[in-house]
Amino acid sequence: MKSIFLFIFVLVSSTIQAAQLSVERGFEVHTINGQEVEENSESHYELKDGDNQIVFSFSGNLSTGTSSELLNTKPYVLTLDTDKNSEIEIELISRKHKRVVSALEKSAPWFVVYDQDKEIEDFQLALLPAKKGFFPYADIPALVANYNKENKIYFSDGNLVDYEQLEKVTNSKFIKLQSLYLDASPEERKQFRKWIIDIE
């Protein structure tokens, strides 16, 4: 009987297991797959199987040798592929202020990504564009939404959907309609919805 319960426990555990993300002290995760992330004191987050988009920044005091100095970075968009066994960690290349600032100024890697303690480099990184005017990063989720729309990046139930790629490999008219709708302006979407109602 115990072996049956053990088998069920292992089966359920393997079913619910998901990729995990943890970040070093000072990192702030703003959104994951287009969804705003609630503050997490333990800095641990759950990821989806497949492509994940993580938007994060860093704010913290780093060593200058004799004292410390505050470093604030702009938000960055990181996209990487994971599976249910992935244990992603994001850390600074150093806790020394000068070294991290130097890397940022040279557009060189200023953080390291690990999966199960092994450094990985297979990911895409982009600086999140700011809005014009005062407080350019006051509403990061809105900036992420605009960035994703501009780059035709969409999510369905938290999963990244590449409609451009789907259009190339499928004959589905539904997929093509979805892609066109998502690429349309708010006014064009409004007109399309009205047209749908009128012809029904």
Side-chain angles (χ1 to χ4, degrees):
M1 181 65 72
K2 287 183 180 180
S3 60
I4 295 176
F5 282 121
L6 180 60
F7 172 76
I8 294 174
F9 174 77
V10 171
L11 183 63
V12 172
S13 298
S14 62
T15 303
I16 63 174
Q17 185 176 354
Q20 299 294 316
L21 165 70
S22 62
V23 294
E24 188 180 19
R25 175 173 49 88
F27 280 91
E28 180 178 359
V29 178
H30 303 285
T31 65
I32 294 178
N33 296 337
Q35 299 296 311
E36 187 172 4
V37 173
E38 296 181 3
E39 287 190 21
N40 187 329
S41 60
E42 296 183 357
S43 299
H44 284 78
Y45 309 89
E46 190 171 298
L47 301 176
K48 296 277 188 178
D49 284 0
D51 287 329
N52 285 270
Q53 182 195 74
I54 305 160
V55 178
F56 64 87
S57 60
F58 178 86
S59 179
N61 288 302
L62 299 179
S63 173
T64 60
T66 56
S67 60
S68 63
E69 188 173 340
L70 180 65
L71 173 67
N72 291 311
T73 74
K74 296 176 180 179
Y76 285 78
V77 183
L78 175 73
T79 306
L80 77 169
D81 183 57
T82 65
D83 59 38
K84 66 180 181 180
N85 297 313
S86 294
E87 296 176 4
I88 304 299
E89 299 174 56
I90 301 176
E91 299 179 2
L92 290 174
I93 57 170
S94 171
R95 296 301 297 187
K96 293 183 178 180
H97 187 275
K98 184 177 181 179
R99 186 178 174 194
V100 179
V101 169
S102 177
L104 284 164
E105 290 175 345
K106 296 175 183 176
S107 297
W110 57 277
F111 63 88
V112 186
V113 181
Y114 298 97
D115 187 357
Q116 296 184 352
D117 297 324
K118 294 181 179 179
E119 184 177 346
I120 61 173
E121 298 180 352
D122 187 16
F123 58 79
Q124 293 80 49
L125 185 69
L127 178 66
L128 181 67
K131 71 174 184 178
K132 295 180 180 179
F134 295 107
F135 307 110
Y137 288 108
D139 190 349
I140 292 178
L143 292 175
V144 172
N146 185 65
Y147 171 87
N148 287 338
K149 183 177 180 181
E150 290 290 325
N151 291 277
K152 295 187 177 182
I153 299 171
Y154 308 106
F155 296 93
S156 177
D157 296 325
N159 296 302
L160 194 151
V161 180
D162 188 339
Y163 279 99
E164 274 195 300
Q165 184 61 30
L166 280 176
E167 281 187 282
K168 295 176 183 177
V169 299
T170 182
N171 292 320
S172 170
K173 293 180 180 179
F174 179 66
I175 293 295
K176 296 180 187 296
L177 284 171
Q178 281 184 310
S179 179
L180 288 170
Y181 181 80
L182 289 169
D183 202 32
S185 67
E187 182 59 31
E188 288 171 331
R189 293 184 185 188
K190 183 178 179 181
Q191 292 175 356
F192 180 75
R193 290 194 297 267
K194 183 178 183 302
W195 176 74
I196 289 293
I197 294 172
D198 290 342
I199 66 171
E200 287 295 324

